[in-house]
Amino acid sequence: MSRVYNFSAGPSAFPESVLQQAQAEMLEWRDSGMSVMEMSHRGKYFSMIAEELESDLRELLAIPANYKVLFLQGGASAQFSLIPQNILNGKTKACYVNTGAWSEKAIQDAKGQCEAVVSASSQDKNFTYIPDYASWQIDQDAAYLHYTSNETIHGVEFQSIPDSKGLTLVSDMSSNILSRPVDVSNFGLIYAGTQKNMGPAGVTVVIVREDLVGLAVKGMPPVFDYAQQVKNGSMLNTPATYNWYLVGLVLKWLKAQGGVSAIERRNITKAVKLYDVIDQSTLYSNPVEKSVRSRMNVPFILSDDALDKAFLAAAEANGLFELKGHRSVGGMRASIYNAMPESGVDALCEFIKEFERTH
Amino acid sequence: MSRVYNFSAGPSAFPESVLQQAQAEMLEWRDSGMSVMEMSHRGKYFSMIAEELESDLRELLAIPANYKVLFLQGGASAQFSLIPQNILNGKTKACYVNTGAWSEKAIQDAKGQCEAVVSASSQDKNFTYIPDYASWQIDQDAAYLHYTSNETIHGVEFQSIPDSKGLTLVSDMSSNILSRPVDVSNFGLIYAGTQKNMGPAGVTVVIVREDLVGLAVKGMPPVFDYAQQVKNGSMLNTPATYNWYLVGLVLKWLKAQGGVSAIERRNITKAVKLYDVIDQSTLYSNPVEKSVRSRMNVPFILSDDALDKAFLAAAEANGLFELKGHRSVGGMRASIYNAMPESGVDALCEFIKEFERTH
């Protein structure tokens, strides 16, 4: 078949032009005589790729000079444990805000390292809202306050940076990084797996304020110690070179789109279109409070779940794939990251209206 | 330029046919409508890729049924710490054989986790030999005995499996896995980064006997706990999906070459040719005891190191790249992994003879 509209939550759709460039360069990158994946990570060609990767990310997110940028392995999931190991700095508590499945995982793993204080939770209403910042119980003895800026499964997204009441702020931005501007200077640490808005799976970006580097617990594997990786340019172990290259291509694509502010406008347009169609229907509904609905992940259910199978089959027949919701919440989910073109959202909107009309 | 012969120690040369297949499938894998890197790791297409990856590796290495196969992140370097964390099982010592730079790194990182007993070392002769197995001082209170089956930097390779005198045997096979048959049943654990003989950087293969699974220390990040990853098919965190696919393509290529025994014959032929040219010259020399010379990494020095620069420049002019030796040993190094065709070794042999004739 031809290429479809792929609404997968991650790994997820790439800009087609990025795939085309990677395809063209697969056997030989520029005039190097070799594929990027065959290059020594210490060689002159890959060094150029690595330097551009970091400088493009710094430019796109306007990362201040007193922040280090790391490209690690193990996914955001590894950071759930590695962040406390790196930055607790002798403290025994960290605060967490629980706004969905990914917050819960971060809390669960943090419990292996320290006391994880839940400062606020929306579990009482099935993670359909974000507790008012003023109500958060922030323990001043905690090393940091952690929140998940976008909940991929529950479709809830922070629309502003919360007040950490002086605590170091840490955020898992895996599913909305680079989709909207963010003032990095508010954070002690930002981390994100790359497989949603930045490229393929296999790289974890950690943006960390330099005063938080060098505090790791004893016995930490050196490749997961921020200080060691800072010192080695994220090459203490052999980096996932081809993945770095692909992330770099996505960043260059994003710059060509006009950067983060420009893509945010397109993301707003796409999200508004899709939520409007859902809200105006009687067949579909989204349970999330309107003010905190995710622009990236749009879960929706059909009022008659007996229609789910037919919906998914008809969607695929129309070239719309990976719309099945996460097993923990059921229904449908459309992930509409940066790389999803507006035409894909338009096609989905048309399809869901047409499906309602005929069912 | 056209594609060169790339003697990089890793990441390293791919079979060209694998790159061609990856190129052809870049925008759409089979009839899926998407690139492999865009696929959900939980979806039906990627599940097929993951299953074939494991079954092909099991077939190529004849891995017994009582061994688990994991595809992790962090590189072999991460395993230097994670192996003791996973399998010390309350013991406080592990034995290590020191045969070169990579053994030393493994020992260094193990010291963060336990007492690392050096059972044997060839440091006295600059890592140019392997101490006689009978002389090894193996501490029976140790949890395991670790050795590096091929030293990428020093060019020393074990030609047989050492006697661990009853201890669990652990081996870092990063730079010679799949280059020769190995009886997996002798080992408690085998690990290898993929970026030399198996594919791109970004995947770490761990082959572990099932009785060693489930012993991890408390506070271990779940994504690095073998038991958790066994339970989740190496998908506790989002795996490096495209890297898995590329490793899978390399394994299928290896099967098409006739498997490990067939590639071993070619590897012997290539290595013999190159060492013969070095040994028959007066300009070049390799310091390693002949019986343990590596078939994968052939370091050699020029008797006049003032010629190094001219050698490297002339080599590149002849399409022979990445021959510079590791900075810690100097001179030259030709890495001739499975994917290096015999024609590449022939071209290198011709070149080094010609360079000697004219210098």
Side-chain angles (χ1 to χ4, degrees):
Chain A
M1 67 173 72
S2 56
R3 280 177 55 80
V4 301
Y5 288 121
N6 171 12
F7 296 93
S8 174
S12 51
F14 266 63
E16 191 165 321
S17 64
V18 167
L19 295 176
Q20 284 163 341
Q21 185 175 348
Q23 182 178 49
E25 296 177 338
M26 176 60 82
L27 272 84
E28 184 179 8
W29 184 80
R30 299 189 189 171
D31 203 31
S32 70
M34 58 187 79
S35 178
V36 171
M37 66 181 79
E38 299 174 288
M39 291 175 181
S40 168
H41 55 299
R42 309 278 183 203
K44 65 178 174 183
Y45 298 121
F46 191 74
S47 296
M48 286 166 57
I49 290 170
E51 279 163 27
E52 286 187 24
L53 171 65
E54 180 173 338
S55 67
D56 285 340
L57 186 63
R58 284 187 174 277
E59 181 184 334
L60 281 162
L61 287 175
I63 299 173
N66 64 325
Y67 285 74
K68 304 296 184 185
V69 178
L70 296 171
F71 300 93
L72 304 177
Q73 293 185 40
S77 295
Q79 295 299 320
F80 294 161
S81 304
L82 298 173
I83 288 169
Q85 290 185 358
N86 269 286
I87 71 169
L88 275 175
N89 193 22
K91 296 202 172 176
T92 59
K93 292 182 196 174
C95 288
Y96 283 78
V97 180
N98 185 8
T99 53
W102 287 100
S103 296
E104 286 187 314
K105 284 178 195 270
I107 292 166
Q108 186 57 41
D109 288 1
K111 284 181 181 166
Q113 311 300 328
C114 65
E115 182 187 343
V117 178
V118 177
S119 296
S121 172
S122 58
Q123 195 169 16
D124 58 338
K125 292 185 184 166
N126 205 22
F127 302 120
T128 54
Y129 73 108
I130 292 175
D132 188 59
Y133 299 165
S135 72
W136 295 10
Q137 301 293 319
I138 297 176
D139 187 329
Q140 291 296 325
D141 293 333
Y144 58 84
L145 172 70
H146 177 284
Y147 75 103
T148 307
S149 63
N150 182 68
E151 288 283 355
T152 320
I153 292 173
H154 289 91
V156 173
E157 184 173 11
F158 280 77
Q159 304 298 324
S160 62
I161 297 174
D163 178 4
S164 65
K165 304 194 173 112
L167 247 56
T168 294
L169 195 57
V170 173
S171 185
D172 176 359
M173 296 195 180
S174 293
S175 52
N176 72 346
I177 194 166
L178 293 169
S179 73
R180 58 194 303 156
V182 61
D183 184 347
V184 173
S185 71
N186 284 275
F187 294 86
L189 189 150
I190 291 168
Y191 66 111
T194 50
Q195 69 273 16
K196 296 164 195 295
N197 258 325
M198 304 180 84
V203 184
T204 318
V205 172
V206 175
I207 302 166
V208 55
R209 211 176 52 219
E210 56 192 10
D211 59 286
L212 298 173
V213 174
L215 310 176
V217 293
K218 220 172 146 251
M220 183 85 171
V223 304
F224 301 125
D225 177 342
Y226 299 153
Q228 296 276 344
Q229 289 289 16
V230 164
K231 206 170 80 181
N232 287 277
S234 303
M235 293 196 190
L236 184 61
N237 58 316
T238 307
T241 49
Y242 195 67
N243 309 61
W244 286 27
Y245 156 76
L246 289 167
V247 173
L249 293 186
V250 172
L251 297 188
K252 287 195 186 300
W253 169 85
L254 183 52
K255 285 171 70 176
Q257 304 301 306
V260 174
S261 294
I263 208 83
E264 181 190 36
R265 288 191 292 277
R266 286 170 43 184
N267 287 332
I268 291 172
T269 302
K270 290 186 297 180
V272 165
K273 279 185 177 182
L274 185 49
Y275 283 114
D276 277 355
V277 168
I278 291 166
D279 289 343
Q280 286 157 16
S281 83
T282 51
L283 179 58
Y284 313 100
S285 64
N286 168 288
V288 179
E289 195 178 278
K290 285 187 183 182
S291 65
V292 293
R293 281 173 166 177
S294 170
R295 296 173 185 163
M296 298 286 102
N297 310 96
V298 182
F300 56 96
I301 56 168
L302 280 63
S303 57
D304 177 5
D305 65 10
L307 287 174
D308 283 3
K309 268 194 157 169
F311 180 92
L312 290 166
E316 292 198 1
N318 281 273
L320 307 168
F321 278 67
E322 299 291 346
L323 285 164
K324 193 174 178 184
H326 191 271
R327 59 189 180 281
S328 63
V329 293
M332 307 297 152
R333 173 174 52 171
S335 294
I336 51 174
Y337 299 119
N338 287 353
M340 175 58 64
E342 196 171 334
S343 61
V345 174
D346 289 341
L348 177 60
C349 288
E350 281 315 302
F351 168 74
I352 64 181
K353 282 191 284 188
E354 178 64 16
F355 185 84
E356 181 172 21
R357 203 183 59 76
T358 53
H359 288 82
Chain B
M1 67 173 72
S2 57
R3 281 177 54 79
V4 300
Y5 288 121
N6 170 12
F7 295 93
S8 174
S12 51
F14 265 64
E16 192 165 319
S17 64
V18 167
L19 294 176
Q20 285 163 340
Q21 184 175 349
Q23 182 178 47
E25 296 176 340
M26 177 59 83
L27 272 85
E28 185 179 7
W29 184 79
R30 298 189 189 170
D31 203 32
S32 69
M34 58 186 78
S35 178
V36 172
M37 65 181 81
E38 299 174 288
M39 291 176 181
S40 168
H41 56 300
R42 309 276 183 204
K44 66 178 173 181
Y45 298 121
F46 192 74
S47 296
M48 287 167 56
I49 290 170
E51 280 164 27
E52 287 187 25
L53 171 65
E54 179 172 338
S55 67
D56 285 340
L57 185 64
R58 284 187 173 277
E59 181 184 333
L60 281 162
L61 286 175
I63 300 173
N66 63 325
Y67 285 74
K68 304 296 184 185
V69 178
L70 296 171
F71 299 93
L72 304 179
Q73 293 184 42
S77 294
Q79 294 300 319
F80 295 160
S81 304
L82 298 173
I83 287 169
Q85 289 184 359
N86 268 286
I87 72 169
L88 276 174
N89 193 22
K91 297 202 172 178
T92 58
K93 293 181 196 176
C95 288
Y96 283 77
V97 180
N98 184 7
T99 54
W102 288 101
S103 297
E104 286 188 313
K105 284 178 196 268
I107 292 165
Q108 187 56 42
D109 288 1
K111 283 180 180 166
Q113 311 300 328
C114 65
E115 182 186 346
V117 178
V118 177
S119 295
S121 172
S122 57
Q123 195 168 14
D124 59 338
K125 294 185 184 167
N126 205 21
F127 301 120
T128 54
Y129 73 108
I130 293 174
D132 187 60
Y133 298 166
S135 72
W136 295 9
Q137 301 292 318
I138 298 176
D139 187 328
Q140 290 297 323
D141 292 333
Y144 58 85
L145 172 69
H146 177 283
Y147 75 104
T148 307
S149 64
N150 182 68
E151 288 283 356
T152 320
I153 292 174
H154 289 91
V156 173
E157 183 173 10
F158 280 77
Q159 304 298 324
S160 62
I161 297 173
D163 178 5
S164 65
K165 301 194 175 114
L167 247 58
T168 295
L169 195 57
V170 173
S171 186
D172 176 359
M173 295 195 180
S174 293
S175 53
N176 72 346
I177 194 166
L178 293 170
S179 72
R180 58 195 303 157
V182 62
D183 184 346
V184 173
S185 71
N186 285 274
F187 295 86
L189 188 150
I190 291 168
Y191 66 111
T194 49
Q195 69 272 18
K196 296 163 195 293
N197 258 326
M198 303 180 84
V203 185
T204 318
V205 172
V206 175
I207 302 166
V208 55
R209 211 176 52 220
E210 57 192 9
D211 60 288
L212 297 173
V213 174
L215 311 176
V217 292
K218 222 174 144 244
M220 183 85 173
V223 303
F224 302 124
D225 176 342
Y226 299 154
Q228 296 277 342
Q229 288 288 18
V230 163
K231 208 169 79 179
N232 287 277
S234 302
M235 292 195 191
L236 184 61
N237 57 317
T238 308
T241 49
Y242 195 67
N243 309 59
W244 286 26
Y245 156 77
L246 290 166
V247 173
L249 293 186
V250 172
L251 298 188
K252 290 197 184 299
W253 169 83
L254 183 51
K255 286 171 69 176
Q257 303 301 304
V260 174
S261 294
I263 208 82
E264 180 189 37
R265 288 192 292 275
R266 287 171 41 184
N267 287 332
I268 292 171
T269 301
K270 291 186 296 181
V272 165
K273 280 185 177 180
L274 184 51
Y275 283 114
D276 277 355
V277 168
I278 292 166
D279 289 343
Q280 286 157 17
S281 83
T282 52
L283 179 59
Y284 312 101
S285 64
N286 168 288
V288 179
E289 194 177 277
K290 287 189 181 180
S291 65
V292 293
R293 282 173 165 175
S294 170
R295 296 174 186 164
M296 298 286 102
N297 310 97
V298 182
F300 56 97
I301 55 168
L302 279 63
S303 57
D304 176 6
D305 65 10
L307 288 173
D308 284 3
K309 268 196 157 168
F311 180 93
L312 289 166
E316 292 198 0
N318 281 271
L320 307 168
F321 277 68
E322 299 290 346
L323 285 164
K324 192 173 179 185
H326 191 270
R327 60 191 182 280
S328 63
V329 295
M332 307 297 152
R333 174 174 51 172
S335 294
I336 51 175
Y337 299 118
N338 287 353
M340 175 58 63
E342 196 171 336
S343 61
V345 174
D346 289 341
L348 177 60
C349 288
E350 282 314 303
F351 168 74
I352 65 180
K353 282 191 284 188
E354 178 64 15
F355 185 84
E356 180 172 22
R357 204 181 58 75
T358 54
H359 285 83

